[in-house]
Amino acid sequence: MKVPVKPFAVSVVQCRGTAYEVGRAQARLFAATPKGRAFLRGRTRFPWWFKLQTEARMFAKFAPVLWEELAGVAAELGITMERAAYCFGNEGMRPPIGACSAVMTAGVYGRNYDFRPRYYGAQFTLLQASGSYASIGSTHLLTGRLDGMNEHGLTIGLHQVKKRPRFPGLSADLIVRMVLDQCATTAEAVALMRSLPHAMQYNYSLLDAGRVAAVVEGSPGAVAVRTGDWLACTNHFLTPQLRPLNRHRAAAHSQARLPPLEAWASGGLGAERMFTALNRSTSPAFHHGYVGSVGTLHTIVGEPAKRRLLIGIGGDAAALEEDMLDVSFDRWLAGENLPVSRLYGQLGGLAKPFEWPVRRRRKKA
């Protein structure tokens, strides 16, 4: 079988130092990308309700180290702190819209992140900043995280339940980053998320090095927690307390994906088998709607106790061996950088290869 051309690339960014230095390093790399150049050429219109002082107070209370990182971003890009805080802080984060799936079982955490390529951050960041735990995760707007693992092995992913309404509070991307920065165990993460003001309705899947799994169902004004020896999670609430908040049409699609995930969870699949189950392009957890809906952009499978993370872009990364990255986070923490700056993958996998960006057809004269 002829292997499809790999059209999709994801950057791998590695930063160490103070929070300010890490912010500058990330911004320097961002400025060299097409998105970064477009950002620097453009202008930012601030909504009437955005106040820098309010943003500063929020970060001072919940994530002071991240405020230092934002200061580094502002300095490196040569922009005002107001623009940095709005575009790369809490209020500028428009939480991703996706159909994400996760499985937690027998010390293994598996997850597919599904979204549209156009809005994907396409970056994994390994970060070791003073004042917070080191982590590796998929980046959204430099400071946000879609999923990841920290130096204690704690692994987390987000799953959108409802896009609107959006209330005052913290965006899901920032909450994931705060958990990675501040928490060593699932219990600590649950306690933190119970104390935070949630801006929207999201599930958060968690597994720590002690094999403690949880799904935190977060919404403005209420947080519920599911626990068990094995768990599966998609894009709807399951607790009686929050189930009435589900969107009916979206919940039906989310519910249809849950049974195979629960079967894999109850079966206690190992890391490699879990990766294949999630990432194969014919899997019931794999999506191909890259244009009109959502498609699977990456798969991560973690073994928290080993601080090990498998990362694949697109689909069938295990079949295309050069596309699957096996990260020993302990070795990275010891100072051994990853030898790669980019990961490549085939969107759609071998079943339905999808090329991005989409080539526009020329109109016939």
Side-chain angles (χ1 to χ4, degrees):
M1 178 183 295
K2 185 178 179 181
V3 177
V5 176
K6 301 189 291 283
F8 198 72
V10 170
S11 299
V12 177
V13 173
Q14 305 178 70
C15 302
R16 307 174 195 268
T18 65
Y20 181 83
E21 291 167 343
V22 161
R24 294 202 70 152
Q26 291 184 90
R28 191 179 309 118
L29 293 167
F30 172 70
T33 66
K35 286 184 179 179
R37 290 191 292 269
F39 172 81
L40 291 173
R41 287 194 303 267
R43 299 178 64 184
T44 299
R45 294 184 178 180
F46 299 98
W48 64 267
W49 46 261
F50 179 77
K51 299 291 187 294
L52 182 62
Q53 295 82 356
T54 303
E55 192 86 341
R57 284 195 298 269
M58 185 276 297
F59 274 94
K61 181 177 181 179
F62 297 111
V65 174
L66 272 177
W67 191 250
E68 295 179 37
E69 188 174 313
L70 282 170
V73 170
E76 186 64 34
L77 295 180
I79 60 177
T80 64
M81 192 63 185
E82 184 179 28
R83 190 179 183 195
Y86 178 71
C87 295
F88 303 108
N90 182 55
E91 295 299 347
M93 291 180 180
R94 295 297 178 259
I97 306 163
C100 308
S101 305
V103 177
M104 295 136 281
T105 177
V108 174
Y109 175 97
R111 162 182 168 75
N112 277 358
Y113 177 68
D114 309 318
F115 196 37
R116 297 183 186 180
R118 180 180 177 184
Y119 304 108
Y120 184 43
Q123 176 178 309
F124 275 84
T125 301
L126 294 91
L127 185 148
Q128 190 172 35
S130 54
S132 61
Y133 296 138
S135 64
I136 173 174
S138 179
T139 305
H140 182 63
L141 295 178
L142 298 186
T143 57
R145 296 294 184 268
L146 306 173
D147 46 44
M149 172 188 287
N150 71 13
E151 64 181 82
H152 294 283
L154 180 63
T155 309
I156 181 173
L158 56 75
H159 311 257
Q160 188 186 70
V161 174
K162 221 171 188 179
K163 183 181 178 182
R164 295 185 180 88
R166 189 178 192 275
F167 294 86
L170 298 172
S171 294
D173 311 63
L174 190 61
I175 289 174
V176 170
R177 175 66 189 277
M178 290 169 60
V179 167
L180 292 172
D181 283 356
Q182 302 174 27
C183 302
T185 65
T186 295
E188 289 181 9
V190 169
L192 175 65
M193 283 191 275
R194 284 190 184 278
S195 71
L196 297 177
H198 293 254
M200 296 176 65
Q201 296 164 12
Y202 268 79
N203 283 325
Y204 301 87
S205 50
L206 293 150
L207 183 68
D208 66 15
R211 296 192 172 194
V212 178
V215 173
V216 175
E217 300 183 352
S219 70
V223 174
V225 181
R226 294 194 288 122
T227 59
D229 293 333
W230 56 264
L231 292 168
C233 177
T234 51
N235 300 91
H236 63 284
F237 293 142
L238 290 178
T239 60
Q241 179 184 0
L242 297 183
R243 194 179 298 156
L245 299 177
N246 290 327
R247 288 188 302 155
H248 297 296
R249 290 181 62 185
H253 183 269
S254 180
Q255 289 165 358
R257 282 184 284 118
L258 197 58
L261 298 173
E262 291 178 332
W264 299 334
S266 62
L269 298 185
E272 283 76 10
R273 289 183 62 198
M274 183 67 75
F275 189 94
T276 300
L278 288 166
N279 188 250
R280 72 178 189 273
S281 55
T282 56
S283 168
F286 194 95
H287 291 269
H288 293 272
Y290 294 101
V291 177
S293 181
V294 295
T296 298
L297 296 172
H298 73 246
T299 299
I300 65 168
V301 171
E303 292 181 281
K306 297 180 180 179
R307 256 74 69 186
R308 181 192 182 207
L309 197 67
L310 302 177
I311 305 172
I313 307 304
D316 297 312
L320 306 169
E321 292 183 2
E322 68 275 21
D323 291 336
M324 184 173 66
L325 184 65
D326 191 339
V327 179
S328 169
F329 201 46
D330 278 340
R331 290 169 64 179
W332 190 85
L333 290 169
E336 183 180 329
N337 278 348
L338 299 183
V340 297
S341 60
R342 280 179 175 268
L343 295 178
Y344 294 92
Q346 176 61 60
L347 296 185
L350 297 170
K352 297 179 182 179
F354 178 83
E355 186 173 359
W356 182 263
V358 177
R359 294 181 180 179
R360 295 182 180 180
R361 294 181 180 180
R362 293 182 179 179
K363 294 182 180 180
K364 295 182 180 180

